[in-house]
Amino acid sequence: MHHLRLLILFVLFCTHALCSVANAEPDGRDIAVEADRRISGFGDYQARILMILRNATGQESIREMEMSVYETPGKGDKTLIFFNSPPDIRGTALLTHTHGGAPDDQWLFLPSVMRVTRIASDNQSGPFVGSEFAYEDMGSTEVDNYRYRFLREDVVDGETMFVIERYPLNRASGYKRQVVWIDKSEYRPRRIEYYNRADLHFKTLLLNDYRLHVMRFWRSHRMLMTNHQTGKSSLLSWENIDFGVGLRQSDFNPRALTR
Amino acid sequence: MSKAFTTLAASRYPLSALVFLRAMAFTGLAMTALADSPAAQTFDVGGYGGIELRFFPDSALLAKQKQWNPSVILSPQYKYESDENDYSFIFEPFLRIDGNDSKRTHFDVRQLLWSYQGNDWLVSAGFGKVFWGTAESVHLIDIVNQTDFVEDIDGEAKLGQPMIRFVRYFPRGSVELFALVGARERTFPSQAGRLWLPVDTKNMEFRSSRTRVDSAARVTYTLGSLDIGLSWFHGIRREPAIVFTPDSPLATLIYDEIDQFSVDAQGVWSNLLFKLEAFYRLTAQDDYPAVIGGIEYLLSSVLDTRADLSLMLEYVYDQRRNSIETAFQNDLFIGSRLALNDYATTSILAGIITDMEQDSLMWRIEASRRLGDRWRLSLDLQGFPRTNQGEPIHFWRRDGHARIQLQHFF
């Protein structure tokens, strides 16, 4: 009996090994790693963002933010968002320290009382400031937060795209899976379809207006998230992105929010 | 001499209004001059103006107190930041004109602060606003700024504090040193205002020079998902000692020198937040500890909606001997906050505080939402359904009220 089991295992192992060698199909994770590699190494950047929220009847509301991102090599990004409008929340700030694999550390600063409070990290699926973007959509996506599967290659508007599927490993995520279209030419994500826990495709993100910065980094300046269930949409319009600003690490210290 | 001194001490205004207006005009001129200079920098005008109406359904304990209390508030904010993001300036005056209570009508400089920021350090000078603490119900260790108690009894409105502040940032924390110039007395309503307390605000004992320099220091450290702070304060107490003497129905307020050592912590684990504040206070009358601990549980996207519901539980214990000085000696707070996560940032906060020994109860509901882009409407309800003789809140047993406020943001 023991020998039979070993034999079966051996055969299975050989089959798997042969399949891997014979299969020229790209690995989903490898694509994600390459896409991430292409946008890494920037050091820091600062951007002014306009977020336009539109409800099902076409009414629009605008929020203005300033985002600063600091890349800690090997450790995960630190993101600081200051809200400029609407005026009653002007000066409110959201600070995030991401850790690939581990939950993010997040703090909220309220200028009226000069108070810095921690936010529960399991709020990732909640809407970011009333928009159709969830907190987990806003944070820099760490490769290690997902499990990947390559689906196929697609041609969209004459461009070849990799289509990969990714499953969030964080159980607090609001999504069961996401399908990501990444263009083959520059490994830029162009379209993401979000599937909720009931495996229903309910949100789509379109990333357009890619511009090359400091001759190296492609950045989407127009991100449109549409919620198919509610008919609402949120547009993130990146007005300008400045790389290599020389941000200080102390700017991302939670205590520094009070200055 | 001492009478003149106490009259000065009793003044609500940190500077005379005339000096103030001059300072405002100078700042305005300076900003215009800077605006013409070639280097790019950012000016920001913010803040708000608003109207408030409080309604007290029960008739008051004192005859001259009214049931309807209207007031007008003006609190603009002027900010300047240099292009290199190293020099900055903020000016935030505050004015409330109250329809009933001349002591609730008051003017203050909340902030008038020049700052310079280096690579890993910051220095600021002027009137500043500093908050220490992590709890929701009682802000136990928040001692740098004096409480503007006539604004609201929750202790969240603060008077500006003249200071020189130095901060050194480290990768995991910071060290702060403060020189606090002068101490301010707490604001209280007059006998014409509701939520009145029988304290003598005209003849308080201010056992110090007005220009004394108090000191404070704070060390913060972040360890994973835990933020810890250790603080020390030496100077004139912000919470006055309250002493009743047989010859007066009003209590004497004593502001004297104290030392306070405190620790605070906040941590997060999954959707639980942990909060702790504790101090050990050394005063001429008594040495005592106090502590508040709490948890907050977040139910995000509750009932499949976009709303977040937080449930809070806090317990506060204070060992001071003079129980008339604080309402929170052995109290439990149960609260919840509902954030709709809609564009209007609608939120509703409800809480009750109950005294475990005295079996008294006070409750509060705060709701607010944005109207359009620049307006905010707030509604607060507060009640004191059960109070006992000997407790400070017993004086508020007829002061349950509703408050509606409409703010316009500039």
Side-chain angles (χ1 to χ4, degrees), chain A residues 53 61-63 86-91 105 107 111-123 125-127 129-132 248 250-251 253-256 258-259, chain B residues 44-46 85 111 117-119 129 131 134-136 165 169-170 173-174 176 220 222 224-227 266 268 270 273 298 300 306 308 341 343 345 370 373-374 376 409-410:
Chain A
L53 307 170
S61 313
I62 300 180
R63 279 187 200 249
D88 64 317
I89 62 164
R90 188 200 266 125
D105 286 315
W107 293 264
S112 56
V113 283
M114 289 296 193
R115 186 172 168 187
V116 178
T117 50
R118 277 221 182 225
I119 302 176
S121 49
D122 263 9
N123 195 21
S125 59
V129 298
S131 75
E132 298 309 312
R248 300 169 277 238
S250 62
D251 290 336
N253 183 326
R255 200 62 209 138
T258 58
R259 63 177 169 222
Chain B
D44 206 16
V45 178
N85 207 3
Q111 294 187 79
Q117 197 178 312
N119 244 347
K129 199 196 295 192
F131 178 84
T134 57
E136 303 302 321
R165 177 180 178 221
Y169 299 103
F170 295 96
S174 64
E176 282 176 80
T220 67
T222 297
S225 29
L226 185 66
D227 296 328
Q266 60 176 339
V268 63
S270 177
L273 285 165
L298 174 69
S300 54
R306 288 151 64 95
D308 289 335
N341 285 325
Y343 174 70
T345 325
R370 188 180 308 118
D373 264 349
R374 292 189 172 273
R376 194 157 190 103
F409 290 86
F410 305 124

Coordinates of all heavy atoms in Angstrom, one line a residue, chain A residues 53 61-63 86-91 105 107 111-123 125-127 129-132 248 250-251 253-256 258-259, chain B residues 44-46 85 111 117-119 129 131 134-136 165 169-170 173-174 176 220 222 224-227 266 268 270 273 298 300 306 308 341 343 345 370 373-374 376 409-410:
Chain A
L53 N -17.5 63.0 -7.9 CA -18.5 61.9 -7.6 C -19.8 62.2 -8.4 O -20.3 63.4 -8.4 CB -18.8 61.9 -6.1 CG -17.6 61.9 -5.2 CD1 -18.1 62.1 -3.8 CD2 -17.0 60.5 -5.3
S61 N -20.5 66.0 -7.5 CA -19.9 66.7 -6.3 C -18.4 66.5 -6.5 O -17.9 65.5 -7.0 CB -20.3 66.0 -5.0 OG -21.7 65.8 -5.0
I62 N -17.6 67.5 -6.0 CA -16.2 67.5 -6.2 C -15.4 67.5 -4.9 O -15.8 68.2 -4.0 CB -15.7 68.7 -7.1 CG1 -16.5 68.6 -8.4 CG2 -14.2 68.6 -7.3 CD1 -16.1 69.7 -9.4
R63 N -14.4 66.7 -4.8 CA -13.5 66.7 -3.7 C -12.1 66.9 -4.2 O -11.7 66.3 -5.2 CB -13.5 65.4 -2.9 CG -14.7 65.3 -2.0 CD -14.6 64.1 -1.1 NE -15.8 63.7 -0.6 CZ -16.2 63.8 0.7 NH1 -15.3 64.2 1.6 NH2 -17.4 63.5 1.1
P86 N -14.5 69.4 0.1 CA -15.2 70.6 0.5 C -14.6 71.3 1.7 O -13.9 70.7 2.5 CB -16.6 70.0 0.9 CG -16.6 68.6 0.4 CD -15.2 68.1 0.3
P87 N -14.9 72.6 1.9 CA -14.2 73.4 2.9 C -14.4 72.9 4.3 O -13.5 73.2 5.1 CB -14.8 74.8 2.7 CG -16.0 74.6 1.8 CD -15.8 73.4 1.0
D88 N -15.5 72.2 4.6 CA -15.6 71.9 6.0 C -14.7 70.7 6.4 O -14.4 70.5 7.6 CB -17.1 71.5 6.4 CG -17.5 70.3 5.6 OD1 -17.2 70.2 4.4 OD2 -18.2 69.4 6.2
I89 N -14.1 70.0 5.5 CA -13.2 69.0 5.8 C -11.7 69.3 5.4 O -10.8 68.5 5.4 CB -13.5 67.6 5.3 CG1 -13.5 67.6 3.7 CG2 -14.8 67.1 5.8 CD1 -13.5 66.2 3.1
R90 N -11.6 70.6 5.0 CA -10.2 71.0 4.6 C -9.2 70.9 5.7 O -9.5 71.3 6.9 CB -10.3 72.5 4.2 CG -9.0 73.0 3.6 CD -8.9 74.5 3.6 NE -9.4 75.1 2.4 CZ -10.4 76.0 2.4 NH1 -10.9 76.4 3.5 NH2 -10.7 76.6 1.3
G91 N -8.1 70.3 5.4 CA -7.1 70.1 6.5 C -7.2 68.7 7.1 O -6.2 68.3 7.8
D105 N -1.4 50.2 8.5 CA -1.6 51.1 9.7 C -2.2 52.4 9.1 O -1.7 53.0 8.2 CB -0.3 51.4 10.4 CG 0.2 50.3 11.2 OD1 -0.6 49.6 11.9 OD2 1.4 49.9 11.1
W107 N -4.1 56.3 10.1 CA -4.4 57.3 11.0 C -5.2 58.4 10.4 O -5.1 58.7 9.2 CB -3.2 58.0 11.6 CG -2.3 57.1 12.4 CD1 -2.2 57.0 13.8 CD2 -1.2 56.3 11.9 NE1 -1.2 56.2 14.2 CE2 -0.6 55.7 13.1 CE3 -0.7 56.0 10.7 CZ2 0.5 54.8 13.0 CZ3 0.3 55.1 10.6 CH2 0.9 54.5 11.7
P111 N -8.4 68.4 12.0 CA -7.7 69.7 12.3 C -8.5 70.6 13.3 O -7.9 71.3 14.1 CB -7.6 70.4 11.0 CG -8.6 69.8 10.1 CD -8.8 68.4 10.6
S112 N -9.8 70.4 13.4 CA -10.6 71.2 14.4 C -10.2 71.0 15.8 O -10.2 71.9 16.6 CB -12.1 71.0 14.2 OG -12.4 69.7 14.3
V113 N -9.8 69.8 16.1 CA -9.3 69.5 17.5 C -7.9 69.0 17.5 O -7.4 68.7 18.6 CB -10.2 68.4 18.1 CG1 -11.6 68.9 18.6 CG2 -10.4 67.2 17.2
M114 N -7.2 69.1 16.4 CA -5.8 68.7 16.4 C -5.5 67.3 16.8 O -4.6 67.0 17.5 CB -4.9 69.7 17.2 CG -4.8 71.0 16.6 SD -3.9 71.0 15.1 CE -3.6 72.7 14.8
R115 N -6.4 66.4 16.5 CA -6.3 65.0 17.0 C -6.0 64.0 15.9 O -6.5 64.0 14.8 CB -7.7 64.7 17.6 CG -7.7 63.4 18.3 CD -9.0 63.2 19.0 NE -9.0 61.8 19.5 CZ -10.1 61.3 20.0 NH1 -11.2 62.0 20.2 NH2 -10.1 60.0 20.4
V116 N -5.1 63.1 16.3 CA -4.7 62.0 15.4 C -5.2 60.7 16.0 O -4.8 60.4 17.1 CB -3.1 61.9 15.3 CG1 -2.7 60.8 14.4 CG2 -2.6 63.2 14.7
T117 N -6.1 60.0 15.3 CA -6.6 58.8 15.8 C -6.3 57.7 14.8 O -6.2 57.9 13.6 CB -8.1 58.8 16.0 OG1 -8.7 59.3 14.8 CG2 -8.6 59.6 17.2
R118 N -6.2 56.5 15.4 CA -6.0 55.3 14.5 C -7.3 54.9 14.0 O -8.4 55.1 14.6 CB -5.4 54.2 15.4 CG -3.9 54.3 15.5 CD -3.4 52.9 15.4 NE -1.9 52.9 15.6 CZ -1.1 52.3 14.8 NH1 -1.6 51.6 13.8 NH2 0.2 52.3 15.0
I119 N -7.3 54.3 12.8 CA -8.5 53.8 12.2 C -8.4 52.3 12.1 O -7.3 51.7 11.9 CB -8.7 54.3 10.8 CG1 -8.7 55.8 10.8 CG2 -9.9 53.8 10.1 CD1 -8.8 56.3 9.3
A120 N -9.5 51.6 12.4 CA -9.5 50.1 12.3 C -9.1 49.7 10.9 O -9.6 50.2 9.9 CB -10.8 49.6 12.7
S121 N -8.2 48.7 10.8 CA -7.7 48.3 9.5 C -8.6 47.4 8.8 O -8.4 47.2 7.6 CB -6.3 47.7 9.7 OG -6.4 46.7 10.7
D122 N -9.6 46.9 9.4 CA -10.5 46.1 8.7 C -11.6 46.8 7.9 O -12.6 46.2 7.5 CB -11.2 45.1 9.7 CG -10.5 43.8 9.7 OD1 -9.4 43.7 9.1 OD2 -11.0 42.8 10.3
N123 N -11.4 48.1 7.7 CA -12.4 48.9 7.0 C -12.0 49.0 5.5 O -12.5 49.8 4.8 CB -12.4 50.3 7.6 CG -13.6 51.1 7.2 OD1 -14.6 50.5 6.8 ND2 -13.5 52.4 7.3
S125 N -12.9 47.5 3.0 CA -14.0 47.4 1.9 C -14.9 48.6 2.0 O -15.7 48.7 1.1 CB -14.8 46.1 2.2 OG -15.3 46.1 3.5
G126 N -14.7 49.5 3.0 CA -15.6 50.6 3.1 C -15.3 51.7 2.1 O -14.2 51.7 1.5
P127 N -16.3 52.5 1.7 CA -16.0 53.5 0.7 C -15.1 54.6 1.1 O -15.2 55.1 2.3 CB -17.4 54.1 0.4 CG -18.2 53.8 1.6 CD -17.6 52.6 2.2
V129 N -14.1 58.1 1.4 CA -14.8 59.4 1.5 C -16.0 59.5 0.6 O -16.2 60.4 -0.2 CB -13.8 60.6 1.2 CG1 -12.7 60.7 2.2 CG2 -13.2 60.5 -0.2
G130 N -16.9 58.5 0.8 CA -18.2 58.6 0.1 C -18.1 58.2 -1.4 O -19.1 58.4 -2.1
S131 N -17.0 57.8 -1.9 CA -16.9 57.6 -3.4 C -17.1 56.1 -3.7 O -17.4 55.3 -2.8 CB -15.5 58.0 -3.9 OG -14.5 57.0 -3.5
E132 N -17.0 55.7 -4.9 CA -17.1 54.3 -5.3 C -15.8 53.6 -5.2 O -15.7 52.4 -5.4 CB -17.6 54.3 -6.8 CG -19.0 54.9 -7.0 CD -20.0 54.3 -6.0 OE1 -20.1 53.1 -5.8 OE2 -20.7 55.2 -5.4
R248 N 10.2 64.2 3.1 CA 10.9 63.7 4.2 C 10.1 62.6 4.8 O 8.9 62.6 4.9 CB 11.0 64.9 5.3 CG 11.8 66.1 4.8 CD 11.6 67.2 5.8 NE 10.3 67.9 5.6 CZ 10.2 69.2 5.3 NH1 11.3 70.0 5.2 NH2 9.0 69.7 5.1
S250 N 9.9 62.1 7.8 CA 9.2 62.6 9.0 C 7.9 63.2 8.7 O 7.0 63.3 9.5 CB 10.1 63.7 9.7 OG 10.3 64.7 8.8
D251 N 7.6 63.5 7.4 CA 6.3 64.0 7.0 C 5.2 62.9 7.1 O 4.1 63.2 7.2 CB 6.3 64.4 5.5 CG 7.1 65.7 5.2 OD1 7.3 66.5 6.2 OD2 7.6 65.8 4.1
N253 N 5.2 60.7 9.6 CA 5.2 60.3 11.0 C 3.8 60.7 11.5 O 3.4 61.9 11.3 CB 6.3 61.0 11.7 CG 6.4 60.7 13.2 OD1 5.4 60.4 13.9 ND2 7.6 60.7 13.7
P254 N 3.0 59.8 12.1 CA 1.7 60.2 12.6 C 1.7 61.5 13.4 O 0.8 62.3 13.4 CB 1.2 59.0 13.4 CG 2.2 58.0 13.3 CD 3.3 58.4 12.4
R255 N 2.8 61.7 14.2 CA 2.8 62.9 15.1 C 3.0 64.1 14.2 O 2.6 65.2 14.7 CB 4.0 62.7 16.0 CG 4.0 63.5 17.2 CD 2.8 63.3 18.1 NE 2.5 64.5 18.9 CZ 1.2 64.9 19.1 NH1 0.2 64.2 18.7 NH2 1.0 66.0 19.7
A256 N 3.5 64.0 13.0 CA 3.8 65.2 12.2 C 2.5 65.7 11.6 O 2.5 66.8 11.0 CB 4.7 64.8 11.1
T258 N 0.0 66.9 13.0 CA -0.5 68.0 13.8 C 0.2 69.4 13.6 O -0.2 70.4 14.1 CB -0.4 67.8 15.3 OG1 1.0 67.5 15.6 CG2 -1.2 66.5 15.7
R259 N 1.2 69.4 12.7 CA 1.8 70.7 12.5 C 1.1 71.6 11.5 O 0.3 71.1 10.7 CB 3.3 70.5 12.2 CG 3.5 69.8 10.9 CD 5.0 69.7 10.6 NE 5.3 68.8 9.5 CZ 6.3 68.0 9.4 NH1 7.1 67.9 10.4 NH2 6.4 67.2 8.4
Chain B
D44 N -4.2 80.6 2.2 CA -5.4 79.9 2.3 C -6.3 80.6 3.3 O -5.9 80.9 4.4 CB -5.1 78.5 2.9 CG -6.1 77.4 2.5 OD1 -6.8 77.7 1.6 OD2 -6.1 76.4 3.2
V45 N -7.5 80.9 2.9 CA -8.5 81.4 3.8 C -9.6 80.4 4.1 O -10.1 79.8 3.1 CB -9.2 82.7 3.2 CG1 -10.2 83.3 4.2 CG2 -8.1 83.8 2.9
G46 N -9.8 80.1 5.3 CA -10.7 79.0 5.6 C -11.5 79.4 6.8 O -11.7 80.6 7.1
N85 N 7.9 74.6 1.8 CA 7.1 73.9 2.8 C 7.9 74.0 4.1 O 7.8 73.0 4.9 CB 6.9 72.5 2.4 CG 5.7 71.9 3.0 OD1 5.0 72.5 3.7 ND2 5.5 70.6 2.7
Q111 N -5.5 80.3 17.3 CA -4.1 80.0 16.9 C -3.6 81.3 16.3 O -4.3 82.1 15.6 CB -4.1 79.0 15.7 CG -4.5 77.6 16.2 CD -4.4 76.6 15.1 OE1 -3.3 76.1 14.9 NE2 -5.4 76.2 14.4
Q117 N 10.0 74.5 9.8 CA 10.2 73.0 9.8 C 11.5 72.7 9.1 O 11.8 73.1 8.0 CB 9.1 72.5 8.9 CG 8.9 71.0 9.0 CD 7.7 70.7 8.2 OE1 6.7 71.3 8.1 NE2 7.9 69.6 7.4
G118 N 12.4 71.9 9.9 CA 13.6 71.4 9.3 C 13.4 70.0 8.8 O 12.3 69.6 8.6
N119 N 14.5 69.3 8.6 CA 14.3 67.9 8.1 C 13.6 67.0 9.0 O 12.8 66.3 8.7 CB 15.7 67.4 7.8 CG 15.9 67.2 6.3 OD1 14.9 67.2 5.6 ND2 17.1 66.9 5.8
K129 N -2.5 75.2 19.4 CA -3.5 74.3 19.9 C -2.9 72.9 19.8 O -2.4 72.5 18.8 CB -4.7 74.4 18.8 CG -6.0 73.8 19.3 CD -7.0 73.6 18.2 CE -7.4 74.8 17.4 NZ -8.6 74.5 16.6
F131 N -3.3 68.8 21.2 CA -4.2 67.8 21.8 C -3.4 66.6 22.3 O -2.7 66.1 21.5 CB -5.3 67.4 20.8 CG -6.3 66.4 21.4 CD1 -7.3 66.7 22.2 CD2 -6.0 65.0 21.1 CE1 -8.2 65.8 22.7 CE2 -6.9 64.1 21.6 CZ -8.0 64.4 22.4
T134 N -6.5 60.0 23.7 CA -7.0 58.9 22.8 C -8.5 58.6 23.0 O -9.1 58.0 22.2 CB -6.2 57.6 23.0 OG1 -6.3 57.2 24.3 CG2 -4.8 57.8 22.6
A135 N -9.0 58.9 24.2 CA -10.4 58.5 24.5 C -11.4 59.4 23.9 O -11.2 60.5 23.5 CB -10.6 58.5 26.1
E136 N -12.7 58.9 23.9 CA -13.8 59.7 23.3 C -14.6 60.5 24.3 O -15.0 61.6 24.0 CB -14.8 58.7 22.6 CG -14.2 57.8 21.5 CD -13.5 58.6 20.4 OE1 -14.0 59.6 20.0 OE2 -12.4 58.1 20.0
R165 N 7.1 75.8 20.9 CA 7.1 74.3 20.8 C 8.2 73.8 19.9 O 8.5 74.4 18.9 CB 5.8 73.9 20.2 CG 5.6 72.4 20.0 CD 4.2 72.2 19.4 NE 4.0 70.8 19.1 CZ 3.4 70.3 18.0 NH1 3.0 71.1 17.1 NH2 3.3 69.0 17.9
Y169 N 11.5 64.7 15.3 CA 10.9 63.5 14.8 C 11.9 62.4 14.6 O 13.1 62.6 14.2 CB 10.3 63.8 13.4 CG 9.2 64.8 13.5 CD1 9.4 66.1 13.0 CD2 7.9 64.5 14.0 CE1 8.4 67.1 13.0 CE2 6.9 65.5 14.0 CZ 7.2 66.7 13.6 OH 6.2 67.7 13.6
F170 N 11.5 61.2 15.0 CA 12.4 60.0 14.8 C 11.6 59.1 14.0 O 10.4 59.2 13.8 CB 12.7 59.4 16.2 CG 13.5 60.3 17.1 CD1 13.0 61.1 18.0 CD2 14.9 60.4 16.9 CE1 13.7 62.0 18.8 CE2 15.7 61.2 17.7 CZ 15.1 62.0 18.6
G173 N 8.9 57.7 16.2 CA 8.2 58.6 17.2 C 8.6 60.0 17.2 O 9.0 60.5 16.2
S174 N 8.5 60.6 18.3 CA 8.9 62.0 18.4 C 9.1 62.4 19.8 O 8.7 61.7 20.8 CB 7.8 62.9 17.8 OG 6.6 62.8 18.6
E176 N 8.8 66.0 22.1 CA 8.3 67.4 22.0 C 8.6 68.1 23.3 O 8.4 67.6 24.4 CB 6.8 67.4 21.8 CG 6.3 67.1 20.5 CD 4.7 67.1 20.4 OE1 4.1 68.1 20.4 OE2 4.2 66.0 20.4
T220 N 6.6 60.3 22.0 CA 5.6 59.4 21.4 C 6.4 58.3 20.7 O 7.6 58.5 20.3 CB 4.7 60.0 20.3 OG1 5.5 60.4 19.2 CG2 4.0 61.2 20.9
T222 N 5.8 54.6 18.2 CA 4.8 53.7 17.5 C 5.5 52.3 17.4 O 6.6 52.2 16.8 CB 4.5 54.2 16.1 OG1 3.8 55.5 16.2 CG2 3.6 53.3 15.3
G224 N 4.5 48.9 15.8 CA 3.6 48.1 15.1 C 2.2 48.8 15.1 O 2.1 49.9 14.6
S225 N 1.2 48.2 15.6 CA -0.1 48.8 15.6 C -0.5 49.5 16.9 O -1.6 49.7 17.2 CB -1.2 47.8 15.3 OG -0.8 46.5 15.7
L226 N 0.6 49.9 17.7 CA 0.3 50.5 18.9 C 1.1 51.9 19.0 O 2.2 51.9 18.6 CB 0.9 49.6 20.1 CG 0.7 50.0 21.5 CD1 -0.8 50.0 21.8 CD2 1.4 49.1 22.4
D227 N 0.3 52.9 19.3 CA 1.0 54.2 19.5 C 1.0 54.5 21.0 O -0.1 54.4 21.7 CB 0.1 55.3 18.8 CG 0.0 55.2 17.3 OD1 1.0 54.7 16.7 OD2 -1.0 55.6 16.8
Q266 N -2.9 54.1 22.0 CA -4.0 53.6 21.2 C -3.5 52.5 20.3 O -2.4 52.6 19.8 CB -4.7 54.8 20.4 CG -3.8 55.5 19.5 CD -4.6 56.6 18.7 OE1 -5.8 56.5 18.5 NE2 -3.9 57.6 18.2
V268 N -4.6 49.1 17.5 CA -5.7 48.6 16.6 C -5.4 47.1 16.4 O -4.2 46.7 16.3 CB -5.8 49.3 15.3 CG1 -4.5 49.2 14.5 CG2 -6.9 48.9 14.5
S270 N -7.4 44.2 14.0 CA -8.5 43.9 13.2 C -9.5 45.1 13.2 O -9.1 46.2 13.0 CB -9.1 42.6 13.6 OG -10.3 42.2 12.9
L273 N -10.4 48.9 18.2 CA -9.5 50.0 18.6 C -9.4 49.9 20.1 O -10.4 49.8 20.8 CB -10.0 51.3 18.2 CG -9.8 51.7 16.7 CD1 -10.7 52.9 16.4 CD2 -8.4 52.0 16.3
L298 N -15.6 48.2 15.3 CA -16.1 48.8 14.0 C -16.8 47.7 13.2 O -16.2 46.7 12.9 CB -14.9 49.3 13.2 CG -15.3 49.8 11.8 CD1 -16.1 51.1 11.8 CD2 -14.0 50.1 11.0
S300 N -18.0 47.5 9.7 CA -18.0 48.3 8.5 C -19.0 47.7 7.5 O -19.3 46.5 7.5 CB -16.6 48.3 7.8 OG -16.1 47.0 7.7
R306 N -23.4 51.0 2.9 CA -22.0 51.6 2.9 C -21.7 52.2 4.2 O -20.6 52.6 4.5 CB -22.0 52.7 1.9 CG -22.0 52.2 0.4 CD -22.6 53.3 -0.5 NE -21.8 54.5 -0.5 CZ -20.9 54.8 -1.4 NH1 -20.6 53.9 -2.3 NH2 -20.3 55.9 -1.4
D308 N -20.8 52.7 8.3 CA -20.0 52.1 9.3 C -20.6 52.4 10.6 O -21.0 53.5 10.9 CB -18.6 52.7 9.3 CG -17.8 52.4 8.1 OD1 -18.1 51.3 7.5 OD2 -16.9 53.1 7.7
N341 N -21.1 57.4 5.3 CA -20.2 57.3 4.2 C -20.8 57.8 2.9 O -20.5 57.3 1.8 CB -19.6 55.9 4.0 CG -18.6 55.6 5.0 OD1 -17.8 56.5 5.5 ND2 -18.6 54.4 5.5
Y343 N -21.8 61.3 0.4 CA -21.0 62.5 0.0 C -21.2 63.5 1.1 O -20.2 64.3 1.4 CB -21.5 63.0 -1.3 CG -20.8 64.3 -1.6 CD1 -19.4 64.3 -1.8 CD2 -21.4 65.5 -1.5 CE1 -18.7 65.5 -2.0 CE2 -20.8 66.7 -1.6 CZ -19.4 66.7 -1.9 OH -18.7 67.9 -2.0
T345 N -21.1 63.3 4.1 CA -20.5 63.0 5.4 C -21.4 63.0 6.6 O -21.1 63.6 7.6 CB -19.2 63.9 5.6 OG1 -18.6 64.2 4.4 CG2 -18.2 63.2 6.5
R370 N -23.5 67.7 5.8 CA -23.1 68.8 4.9 C -24.4 69.1 4.1 O -25.1 68.2 3.6 CB -21.9 68.5 4.0 CG -21.4 69.7 3.3 CD -20.2 69.3 2.4 NE -19.2 68.6 3.2 CZ -18.8 67.4 2.9 NH1 -19.3 66.7 1.9 NH2 -17.9 66.8 3.7
D373 N -22.1 72.5 -0.8 CA -20.7 72.4 -0.7 C -20.1 73.1 0.5 O -19.1 72.7 1.0 CB -20.0 73.0 -1.9 CG -19.7 72.0 -3.0 OD1 -19.8 70.8 -2.7 OD2 -19.4 72.3 -4.1
R374 N -20.8 74.1 1.0 CA -20.1 75.0 2.0 C -20.9 75.1 3.3 O -20.5 75.9 4.1 CB -20.0 76.4 1.4 CG -19.0 76.4 0.3 CD -18.6 77.9 -0.2 NE -17.6 77.8 -1.1 CZ -16.3 77.8 -0.8 NH1 -15.9 77.9 0.5 NH2 -15.3 77.7 -1.7
R376 N -22.9 73.3 6.7 CA -23.0 72.2 7.5 C -24.1 72.4 8.6 O -24.1 73.4 9.3 CB -21.6 71.8 8.2 CG -21.7 70.5 8.8 CD -20.3 69.9 8.9 NE -20.4 68.5 9.3 CZ -20.2 67.5 8.4 NH1 -19.8 67.7 7.2 NH2 -20.5 66.2 8.8
F409 N -18.8 77.6 5.6 CA -17.4 77.5 5.5 C -16.9 78.3 4.4 O -17.4 78.3 3.3 CB -16.9 76.0 5.4 CG -17.2 75.2 6.6 CD1 -18.4 74.6 6.8 CD2 -16.2 75.1 7.6 CE1 -18.7 73.9 8.0 CE2 -16.4 74.4 8.7 CZ -17.7 73.8 8.9
F410 N -15.8 79.1 4.7 CA -15.3 80.1 3.7 C -14.4 79.4 2.7 O -13.8 78.4 2.9 CB -14.5 81.2 4.4 CG -15.3 81.9 5.5 CD1 -14.8 81.9 6.8 CD2 -16.5 82.4 5.3 CE1 -15.5 82.5 7.8 CE2 -17.2 83.1 6.3 CZ -16.7 83.1 7.6

